[in-house]
Amino acid sequence: MIRTAIIDDEPEAVEVLKRHASKLSKLSVQASFCIAEEALAYLSINPVDLLFLDINMPGYTGLELMRQLPYRPKVIFTTAYEQYALDGYEFEALDYLLKPISFEAFRRSFSRAEKALTTTAYASPVSEISFFVKDGKKTIKITYKDLRYIKACGNYVELHGENNRVITRTSISNLLQKLPDGRFVRIHNSYAINLDHINSIEDNHVTINEVRLPIGERYRNAFWELICYQMF
C-alpha cells in the first residue's frame, strides 16, 4: 500500500483527488489539507510515500513546503498553470497534473509513482531492525531500538545510543528515511529522537538518558499533537 497525502488550497480540488484515489486499491490517503502550514506540521512527524501537491498556494507554496520537509517523499505536482511545471525539477517530480484533473490522468500518474516507489524499495531494502552507517573507516551496525537520538553537526550527524556515539556523513533528513515511521521524529533543526526513549518532557525540552534536548518552535505543535494522541 502506498501512503499519500493531498495538499491543495482549493477544497474542491482536494475532493476531486480524494475521489480519484478511492478508486485505486493500492493507494491510501492518510490525510488531506487546504492549508500548507497544517500539512507541514502533520507530515513532519507522519511520513508518507507520495504527495499530490499544489504548486501555487498562499503562504507556503508547494515548492517551499517541500524544502521544509525533513525527508523527501515522491511528489506529483498539481497546478492550474503550465508555466509552474519547470519549477518542480529541483524535487525530481514524477509528474505534473494540470487542472481540471481527470481520473485517467490521475491513474497514469499513480502508475508512474507506483513503479518508481517499487523500484526504490527493491534497490534499497531496509532491515526492520537495523541499518549500517560509515564512521571513518568502520562500517557500523545501528539497531533501531538502541538508537536514542540524532544530532546534526554540519555535514555530519551524531547517532547516540545508550552508551555510545557514532558519527557519519549524512543529514538528519536522509537518515530519517531509513528509520521506522512513527517512532523517530524531528523535534528541532538539529535533533531527531526515538519516542520510545523519552524519560520526560518539560519546558519545551525532552529528556533522554539525562540529556535535555530542545523542542524547536517549528516542530512544537506537531510534536505535542503526537504526544497528546498517545496519552491516557
Side-chain angles (χ1 to χ4, degrees), residues 14 20 26 28 43 55 76 83 85 94 125 153 160 164 171 210 212-213 218 222:
V14 170
H20 290 342
K26 294 183 179 180
S28 173
L43 293 170
I55 292 181
I76 294 172
Q83 66 267 28
L94 295 174
C153 299
H160 289 259
N164 68 312
S171 66
E210 299 184 358
R212 277 170 54 88
L213 305 174
R218 171 181 160 192

Side-chain angles (χ1 to χ4, degrees), residues 92-113:
E92 299 179 356
L94 295 174
D95 206 353
Y96 302 89
L97 290 173
L98 190 63
K99 300 175 185 179
I101 299 168
S102 68
F103 173 71
E104 185 56 30
F106 183 91
R107 186 194 63 78
R108 286 197 302 268
S109 285
F110 172 69
S111 294
R112 187 173 301 171

